[in-house]
Every structure is written in C-alpha cells, then in structure tokens.
Amino acid sequence: MRPESEAELSELIRHTETALQIRGGGTRGAFFPAGGAVLETGGLSGVTLYEPAALTLVARAGTPVAEIEALLSEKNQRLAFEPMDHRTLLGTTGTPTIGGVVAANVSGPRRVQVGAARDFLLGVRFVDGEGHIIRNGGRVMKNVTGYDLVKLMAGSWGTLGVLSEVSLKVLAIPQAEATLVLRGQGADACVADMCSALGTPYDVSGAVWIGPGVAGDAPERRIRVEGLRGSVAYRIQRLAETLPGDHSIVEGAESAALWQQVRDVTPFAGQEAPLWRISVKPTDAPLLLAALGRAGVAHKTICDWGGGLVWLMVEGASARAGVVRAEVSALGGHATLVRAPIAQREAVVMFHPQAAPLERIAAGLRARFDPRGILNPGLMGVAAIAEPAA
Amino acid sequence: MEMPVPDAQVISRKPELVARLRRVLPAEAVIDDPAETRAYECDALTAYRCAPLCAVLPSSTHEVSQVLAICHELGVPVVPRGSGTSLAGGALPTADSVILGVARMNAVIETDYANRFIRVQTGRTNLSVSGAVEADGFFYAPDPSSQLACAIAGNIAMNSGGAHCLKYGVTTNNLLGVTLVMMDGEVVEIGGAHLDAGGLDLLGVICGSEGQLGVVTEATLRILPKPEGARPVLVGYDSNEVAGRCVSDIIESGILPVAIEFMDLPCIRATDAFSGAGYPDCEALLIIEVEGSEAEIQEQLAIITAIARRHNPVELRESRSAEESAKIWLGRKSAFGAMGQINDYMCLDGTIPVNTLPFVLGRIADLSREFGLDVANVFHAGDGNMHPLILFNANQSGQLELCEALGAEILKLCVEVGGCLTGEHGVGIEKRDLMLVQYDVGDLEAQMRVKDVFDPRWLLNPAKVFPLAVSAGRRG
C-alpha cells in the first residue's frame, strides 16, 4: 500500500482490516515479530516549505533525506543532528526518508553537541491508528502551546501514528572542521579524555573511540570541532595541548570522511554478526565492555558520543541478549538489537524491555493512539518474549 | 475567566483531608488556615485569585507520593506549584484543590562533571542550579527572566526557555531524566544520566505538560562548560523592518549568536529613562551576543557588524569592556521593571517565524491604535519568540478586559503567520480558551489522551491548558 496523500493515508488506515508494517525507505530493517501488510510512505513526498532565514524546513514524511540535504546545501545549511544512513551497515537498498529518520529518532555523532533528531523536530502531522489526522507543534523554534506530542512521535517507530509531514529546524554548514586523531589508547583512558574534552569550552562536536581491530589493529580516538576557520584552528590547538598523547590533526573533507564512517558505522558493514546499539552514561562504557569481557562475550566496539553510544558487535551467531541486556540494565542504560541473524530476530525483542511502570504507560499510550493495535504491532513494548540466557 | 464549579463534596471533606495529610507530613508542612493559604491564591498572573482548600509543602519524593495517594483516594484535585512565578496562571488553585508546593525540596543530589549532568530536587531555583556548578566552570543553559526565583519544577512543567535558547535550546533539550510521582502515588523513574532514554520519549511529553501528568520531584539536567567569554554588540535602526532584515541576514549568514534581542521604540524610551542605559533614540534596537575566546569573539563580531552596517544603522556600539557590556544589557534586563513602573502591563509570548517579524510588528502597531492601548515590544528575535507588553490601567474599569481582547488579537495574529500562542510561558488558564485558534478539537483530543493515560481521573491541575468545554467530559 502506498498512499499518495495524507487524506488517502487516513482513509487507508481507517478501513484496513490487517495489521500494517509502516515503511519509509525500508533501509533500517526493523524486526517485525508479526506479519501484516506493508504501508509505504514514499508517496507522501516533497518539501512544502523552506525558509533559510528562519532556519526552518517542512517536508512530507516520505521525502528522501538526500533530496532534503541537497536542497539545504544550496543555501549552505544542513540537518545538524547528522542522521545515519543505514544502507551500508545493513546492506539494504531503499531510499532513506525523513519520516523514517524522525520515527526512529536517528541522530549521529554530533548529538553530543547539538542534540538528537527529536531536538530539531518542530512539528508533525500524523495519522493515528483510527485514521484521525493530528497536528502538533508547528514551524517555530519555541512552542509550548499544549502537550509536546512532537517529541513523543520522534522515536515511536510508527507505533502511535504514521507521520505524514514533519517540520524541522536546520542549521548552517560551518566554514571549517578539524579532527584530532590519536591511536593506541585503551577504552578507559580514552573515555576519560573524551569526557574532559566535552567538558572544555571548545565546543566539541564529535568524540569517538574506535576499538581495536575495527578500523585498523590499534584503537583510535577522534575528536572533532567545527565552526569559523579561525575558531576551529584555535580550538583544535587548545584541545591538542590539553589532552595527553601525540595527536595528528585532520582537516576539511578528510575529517568529514572520518565522521561519515562513524555516523554510518561502516567498519561493521558487510558482516552478519549481531550488532547492538547501546545507550549508557559515557563513563559507564568502559565498565560495560569490561563486564562483557568477563562474561565471555567476545566483541568489537565503536564508542561514539564520548562513550554514551556503544556500537557493540558480538562475535558468533548469538546476540548474547541475556548477558548484554543484563549488564546494560545494571548500568541503567538500554540496548537495541540493530542487526542479527533471522533466528535471533525471532527470539530477541529489538528494544530493551523497560521497568514495569514505563511499559504500562507506553502500552496505555499505544492503546489510545492505536486502539486496534494495527500500527507496527509488537515492534515496541513486547517484554513477554523469552530471551535466551546466553 | 471561567473556572469549573468547585466540588462541594470535596470541600465538605476538608477536615478529613487535612487530618490525613497531617498524619504523613510534619505539622508545619500542611497549611490550612485561610489567612495562610492566601499566600497560594495566585501565581504571577495576579489578576486571577482563588484560595485552595489547603497547601502542603512536602520535603521528599516519599512525602509527595503519600500526599498524592491520599488526594487520589479522596478524589481531591491537586495543583502542583514550583515558585509560583507562572505568568499564565499555571499554579492558580481552585477552591476544591490542594496546592502541592515543592519549594522545600531544593537539594543538589549529584553533580557529575565527567558526564556533564546535575541531579537536583525540583524545588531548586533555576539560577541556583548554575550556582551549584559555576565555580567548576559549568552552567545550566535555560535562563528564563525569572531565573532568580523560578523553580526547576515549573521550568519542566512549562518547558521554559530564556534569552540564550537560540544556541542552547529550551528545557526539554537539556533534560535527561526525572523522578515522576503519578497521581495515585506511584513513583516512576524516567530517563537518567544517559543521553537518550529508551522506549517512547515520555520525558519529551512530560516536559511542557504543565503539571498535568505527574509531579516531578527530581530532575537530571544537562550542564555545559562555560564559554571563555561573551560580548554583546548594540545596533540601532530607524525602522523595525530594517532591523528584522538584519536579523534574517545574520541567521542566514550561518553565524549563530547566543542571543539576538529586539526592542522597539516605546520599549527603548521607557527602559532608557528607567535604567540610564544610554540607548539611542531610534525605532528598533538589537542586542546581539556572541561567545568564545577573544579571537573567536572578534571573528564572529566582524561578520555580524559587517552585515549590520550594510543596513545603515543609526548606531552601532561594540562593547570594549565588561562595564560596557553590562551597560548594553542593562536596559534590556530592566525592561519589564521599567514598563511596570510606568503602567500595568500584560506580557504575551507568542512565537512567529522570524521572517514575518516586520509584518507582525506593523500589524501589532495597527491593533494597538485600534484598541487605544500602547504596546511595547521586547523579545528574542533570533527564535521569533515575541514579548509584546500591553500597557493598561488595572484600576480603570474595563481596561483589563480591553487589554485581554487586544492580547487575544495579537496571539491570533501570531498563529495566522505560522506561529503559536506561547513560546515559553505556557498555556495555563491565560491562553486556555484560545487553544482552538491554533488546534482543532481532534488535535486537542490527541493531547488529552496522554493525560488520560497518566492521570485517568483528571485530578492534576485539571482546569488548565484545554478549553473547559473540550475537557468537560473528562473532568468528572
């Protein structure tokens, strides 16, 4: 099913008798436990408003991200939250859409500096599980008029409604960027350094530790600054003086290429091994890796967001969901299974089970926005599936 | 302002309610003497007042939980209150309600510089959050004008902004986790010290829900390293339109100043007379502030002043010292006080798309003439958050109503050009009945579903945000 307008989308949902799998470009490979008809949003396409001087863009949900980025770059602007393109990592072939980015709250390395996709989302239009067209937020930077369903929709993975239009804040592309690179540092020391870099006034816009055997034998630390040319030169110099180690400085397009690799997690592409995306407090990242090592979970890792986002590739066919989730839970974080062999996908829920009161609230919201349970049923909030212990 | 008829049965059970509350709280934390509850009869929207049944001042999450469980059991509405600085009547009681004030809960629970967060009890004032970390070189970014007095609880309830949100965002962009006490007393932890909470973004919908979903007793807030320095430049123009174009050009150039403040002629004259800031006498004044090291400040100011000069300013004043910077900010920071000295005023806070600024200012001037009330404008131009101040005489009969009618017209104008009713103050009771200007009933229905999940009996701050007719079926 591929509606060509919001009205058609609404009619279609109102009259459907089957469950629906909502699909933007189909590049993220969400795990759907149940079947159902595929509902594609690609027919709802096109930028409806772009005001460079107001830093605002409004687009229909099925608009390709590439189309938006091309339009923005003509005015030297961009989506500052640096959304990941999942195609390389997951070997998918579709066209990433802006609605997909928003629905999954996809944010890249710059999240540590500017925030997540949800922080740039100013307004939404969506169709709920009964076919009602709902509007929330708008296209202005500050808006506290009523409840913020905009944030609620970001990251709801289509379970509360199907996005038909999104309104986003955009930012200028800075004049310059530079990255400080250091090789050979272990996770503990590196995360400590990244935390202190992020605690300086030098406005770090990316801080990643790429573990051993991922982008070369030795681990690598990358720290990025962006801005006006003089300011970038000053800040990268100050960081090089402040942080321990013998750094090299990479600039311009070469620096951008390093970060595209981090954004798209390309070192883990072209493989089958299960991959987790784990959110923890940055200083907990080394503790988590050590704990997993002790538990016998062989892994490779990329720690982005200064340590706060751990991409964990587990060696072997098992995702080791029981151990991974137990260790992550012990630290108060959460782990999403991004890639896994089919058998694992059927046995492991994609999203981290939450505390009972949160599951209850989330289930209550889903029941009210989608009373028939037809929108991506079972994708979020299924805690009942037994997970293999280790 | 229409408020629901208080529930006589609830009022008649006041002795039982107070006795039950006294069993779980220290004696002085339950205030039921009518002479003392008067202190809670309004917030900063002083035109509307109503004494509550009683007020409670719990000291811990556990006590809040016990209070809510009792009120839930007895079916008593609860109005949460931070410091009572709401300009929208967000903490206005009803006669059958309990005021739950979090002012006594103001401790810092944890500071963590490596992970850049602070965890506080929500009765703590906004400025004292920064105060707790500033000696170590950090600050909490959202900075509403009332930051000396306003509590984090209220900031979260209203998703407060401030002068510097062009760069740093508003409360929701700086909130990592909360402890939320549900109306039935259940304590729920949402988010934490990690950047993105798991599951649905409940934090996002709790922030800005005006105390209607639960009582937030603790919050984990993102803190940021203080910039090396900051400096403002003052630019005066002989028309609002030109000043508006200058703002657009700066933003389009790719520079993101931490603040772009805009004042119009009535505001410039009043604040200058009041503060002696030495502002030029012109139609429009911009204060643009940038941050960074000395060299970075110079680099940004060079671009900004070049743009400003292209628009032929009547004055362009670059600060050369801390004293000069303070003087540039002096008038702006005393604007509300200055207006208050010459008149009663009502402060609106609709937001508009930045590029519609000149048109909107022109229309506000027309409306001002039409209604015969002066309007002064001082606002955050970078993000389009207007603050028209309507001047009136509260002692003259009919003036408040006239002022409210003009305010409604201005807010409708904001929505018409693609903006919204409120950018940072919240809906409260003040803009409640205008909600249908911005949203249709179906849009509000979707918002009310969220409240149905968190507070099925609609006991928390029930008469706010949604037009009474729209929420009638739910409020019991």
Side-chain angles (χ1 to χ4, degrees):
Chain A
M1 286 179 264
R2 196 173 189 274
E4 297 293 324
S5 70
E6 187 182 64
E8 230 178 278
L9 173 65
S10 159
E11 281 304 302
L12 200 151
I13 292 180
R14 196 184 300 274
H15 296 115
T16 187
E17 286 170 8
T18 58
L20 300 171
Q21 290 186 9
I22 321 304
R23 183 179 294 174
T27 60
R28 268 193 323 277
F31 307 174
F32 293 100
V38 172
L39 189 156
E40 287 184 303
T41 61
L44 309 167
S45 186
V47 171
T48 53
L49 179 138
Y50 176 34
E51 292 281 1
L55 302 177
T56 324
L57 176 131
V58 183
R60 295 193 186 96
T63 311
V65 175
E67 183 182 322
I68 289 172
E69 284 177 335
L71 183 69
L72 291 175
S73 71
E74 281 171 27
K75 296 283 180 187
N76 200 42
Q77 294 183 336
R78 66 182 180 187
L79 298 172
F81 53 94
E82 214 174 359
M84 170 180 182
D85 181 340
H86 290 71
R87 285 177 293 186
T88 312
L89 177 67
L90 300 178
T92 46
T93 53
T95 304
T97 63
I98 194 64
V101 164
V102 166
N105 190 27
V106 178
S107 321
R110 204 175 290 111
R111 190 215 180 306
V112 287
Q113 182 202 29
V114 297
R118 56 91 93 176
D119 295 299
F120 286 82
L121 190 62
L122 304 174
V124 289
R125 294 178 66 94
F126 64 96
V127 178
D128 73 6
E130 291 182 297
H132 300 122
I133 297 169
I134 295 163
R135 200 163 49 97
N136 194 261
R139 62 178 174 100
V140 288
M141 300 293 160
K142 281 164 85 179
N143 186 347
V144 296
T145 318
Y147 292 177
D148 193 346
L149 304 184
V150 171
K151 302 283 186 300
L152 189 62
M153 290 306 292
S156 64
W157 287 76
T159 60
L160 300 179
V162 181
L163 290 167
S164 51
E165 188 180 88
V166 297
S167 156
L168 292 157
K169 176 183 175 180
V170 300
L171 286 178
I173 298 174
Q175 265 181 7
E177 70 168 275
T179 300
L180 209 55
V181 179
L182 179 73
R183 289 202 179 81
Q185 204 176 26
D188 289 24
C190 181
V191 168
D193 283 354
M194 292 196 291
C195 287
S196 58
L198 287 161
T200 65
Y202 309 130
D203 211 9
V204 167
S205 75
V208 67
W209 181 74
I210 300 169
V214 175
D217 290 340
E220 186 169 311
R221 180 184 83 197
R222 298 175 185 167
I223 292 176
R224 175 178 67 182
V225 296
E226 296 168 281
L228 295 176
R229 226 162 258 118
S231 166
V232 166
Y234 166 78
R235 285 181 284 138
I236 205 80
Q237 207 48 54
R238 292 293 295 134
L239 284 165
E241 289 159 18
T242 310
L243 298 172
D246 191 12
H247 302 97
S248 55
I249 293 173
V250 177
E251 294 173 294
E254 223 181 307
S255 163
L258 290 181
W259 289 96
Q260 185 169 347
Q261 183 193 40
V262 176
R263 185 194 78 176
D264 294 344
V265 204
T266 51
F268 292 153
Q271 307 176 56
E272 300 258 292
L275 181 68
W276 293 94
R277 184 181 183 279
I278 299 168
S279 183
V280 285
K281 190 166 78 178
T283 54
D284 283 345
L287 305 180
L288 173 68
L289 299 179
L292 291 171
R294 282 195 302 275
V297 178
H299 62 263
K300 288 186 174 151
T301 184
I302 296 173
C303 297
D304 197 2
W305 299 358
L309 172 64
V310 179
W311 292 98
L312 183 87
M313 189 168 78
V314 177
E315 289 172 8
S318 166
R320 308 294 300 274
V323 183
V324 170
R325 285 212 160 121
E327 295 294 351
V328 171
S329 291
L331 294 167
H334 57 93
T336 305
L337 188 57
V338 172
R339 181 178 71 194
I342 290 290
Q344 291 282 298
R345 291 179 175 217
E346 283 165 2
V348 180
V349 288
M350 184 173 174
F351 296 100
H352 203 102
Q354 294 185 286
L358 297 185
E359 288 289 359
R360 203 179 57 240
I361 293 169
L365 290 170
R366 280 192 300 272
R368 277 167 180 79
F369 282 87
D370 175 24
R372 293 181 294 160
I374 56 164
L375 303 178
N376 285 349
L379 180 60
M380 293 186 96
V382 179
I385 298 177
E387 300 195 351
Chain B
M1 184 66 56
E2 191 198 347
M3 290 299 275
V5 180
D7 186 331
Q9 214 182 345
V10 167
I11 294 176
S12 72
R13 292 172 77 183
K14 176 175 170 178
E16 182 193 351
L17 170 71
V18 170
R20 298 257 326 249
L21 291 170
R22 288 228 159 93
R23 257 180 262 150
V24 298
L25 294 178
E28 83 288 354
V30 182
I31 298 157
D32 70 322
D33 180 339
E36 291 177 64
T37 55
R38 281 185 61 186
Y40 299 93
E41 68 183 12
C42 70
D43 52 25
L45 184 69
T46 53
Y48 299 97
R49 291 162 194 267
C50 173
L53 270 184
C54 67
V56 294
L57 301 172
S59 302
S60 67
T61 297
H62 179 64
E63 285 184 1
V64 170
S65 162
Q66 288 179 300
V67 166
L68 288 176
I70 290 168
C71 292
H72 185 251
E73 189 191 324
L74 300 178
V76 182
V78 173
V79 176
R81 179 180 168 109
S83 299
T85 57
S86 172
L87 291 165
L92 177 75
T94 48
D96 56 0
S97 71
V98 170
I99 283 276
L100 192 165
V102 294
R104 287 188 181 176
M105 300 173 58
N106 59 8
V108 171
I109 297 162
E110 185 186 1
T111 50
D112 182 336
Y113 295 120
N115 293 301
R116 300 174 308 287
F117 72 83
I118 183 169
R119 187 162 176 88
V120 297
Q121 289 184 314
T122 55
R124 195 169 182 87
T125 61
N126 174 291
L127 195 61
S128 72
V129 172
S130 281
V133 295
E134 77 180 326
D136 296 298
F138 284 80
F139 73 110
Y140 174 61
D143 59 343
S145 304
S146 57
Q147 67 180 152
L148 190 62
C150 65
I152 291 299
N155 290 181
I156 293 171
M158 295 309 195
N159 189 15
S160 303
H164 293 84
C165 37
L166 182 56
K167 179 166 179 189
Y168 296 116
V170 295
T171 302
T172 191
N173 311 113
N174 292 278
L175 180 67
L176 297 170
V178 296
T179 299
L180 181 81
V181 187
M182 309 277 283
M183 185 62 215
D184 62 4
E186 182 172 24
V187 179
V188 182
E189 294 294 335
I190 302 175
H194 48 291
L195 279 176
D196 288 334
L200 293 177
D201 193 349
L202 302 181
L203 211 50
V205 75
I206 287 163
C207 192
S209 62
E210 308 209 6
Q212 292 194 313
L213 302 185
V215 176
V216 177
T217 55
E218 291 181 14
T220 304
L221 307 169
R222 196 163 73 108
I223 51 173
L224 297 172
K226 272 198 288 195
E228 290 177 88
R231 194 173 309 148
V233 53
L234 179 149
V235 197
Y237 288 105
D238 54 14
S239 93
N240 287 329
E241 192 160 5
V242 176
R245 276 207 301 273
C246 177
V247 171
S248 292
D249 285 357
I250 290 169
I251 289 173
E252 213 168 351
S253 79
I255 299 269
L256 196 65
V258 279
I260 304 180
E261 296 290 295
F262 192 122
M263 294 165 76
D264 71 357
L265 183 62
C267 191
I268 296 166
R269 286 194 176 150
T271 56
D272 199 55
F274 178 79
S275 68
Y279 286 162
D281 193 55
C282 58
E283 284 293 323
L285 204 63
L286 299 175
I287 298 173
I288 305 160
E289 182 156 276
V290 297
E291 288 179 344
S293 65
E294 183 52 37
E296 290 175 284
I297 286 174
Q298 298 283 359
E299 192 178 18
Q300 295 173 77
L301 285 181
I303 296 170
I304 289 169
T305 53
I307 293 169
R309 287 209 167 86
R310 280 211 303 270
H311 294 283
N312 301 316
V314 295
E315 176 142 353
L316 193 154
R317 198 183 294 169
E318 280 188 74
S319 159
R320 280 174 299 269
S321 65
E323 292 72 41
E324 285 185 17
S325 296
K327 210 170 170 199
I328 287 178
W329 274 110
L330 180 67
R332 167 63 186 92
K333 291 197 168 163
S334 55
F336 287 48
M339 303 313 290
Q341 203 191 38
I342 53 173
N343 242 316
D344 297 304
Y345 69 81
M346 179 171 148
C347 175
L348 307 174
D349 89 312
T351 308
I352 56 166
V354 184
N355 53 319
T356 64
L357 207 62
F359 171 76
V360 171
L361 287 173
R363 283 288 297 139
I364 289 178
D366 294 344
L367 287 166
S368 160
R369 271 190 298 276
E370 210 175 291
F371 279 76
L373 292 175
D374 285 334
V375 179
N377 283 289
V378 48
F379 55 92
H380 316 306
D383 49 35
N385 191 188
M386 311 275 292
H387 285 310
L389 303 176
I390 307 175
L391 309 181
F392 71 107
N393 182 350
N395 294 322
Q396 197 179 317
S397 134
Q399 283 250 304
L400 173 65
E401 290 73 17
L402 188 65
C403 170
E404 285 182 339
L406 171 55
E409 287 309 311
I410 292 175
L411 293 182
K412 284 177 195 166
L413 169 66
C414 291
V415 174
E416 228 174 80
V417 298
C420 66
L421 297 172
T422 169
E424 57 184 1
H425 295 173
V427 177
I429 53 156
E430 191 204 15
K431 281 150 302 218
R432 184 190 68 193
D433 297 327
L434 288 171
M435 284 293 271
L436 286 169
V437 173
Q438 185 169 335
Y439 289 119
D440 66 29
V441 174
D443 299 330
L444 296 181
E445 171 68 28
Q447 297 177 30
M448 292 191 297
R449 288 174 192 162
V450 176
K451 184 163 174 63
D452 293 341
V453 172
F454 281 83
D455 175 23
R457 293 170 65 189
W458 278 62
L459 290 172
L460 274 167
N461 222 4
K464 316 284 168 65
V465 184
F466 304 105
L468 292 183
V470 175
S471 66
R474 292 171 144 97
R475 282 180 291 106

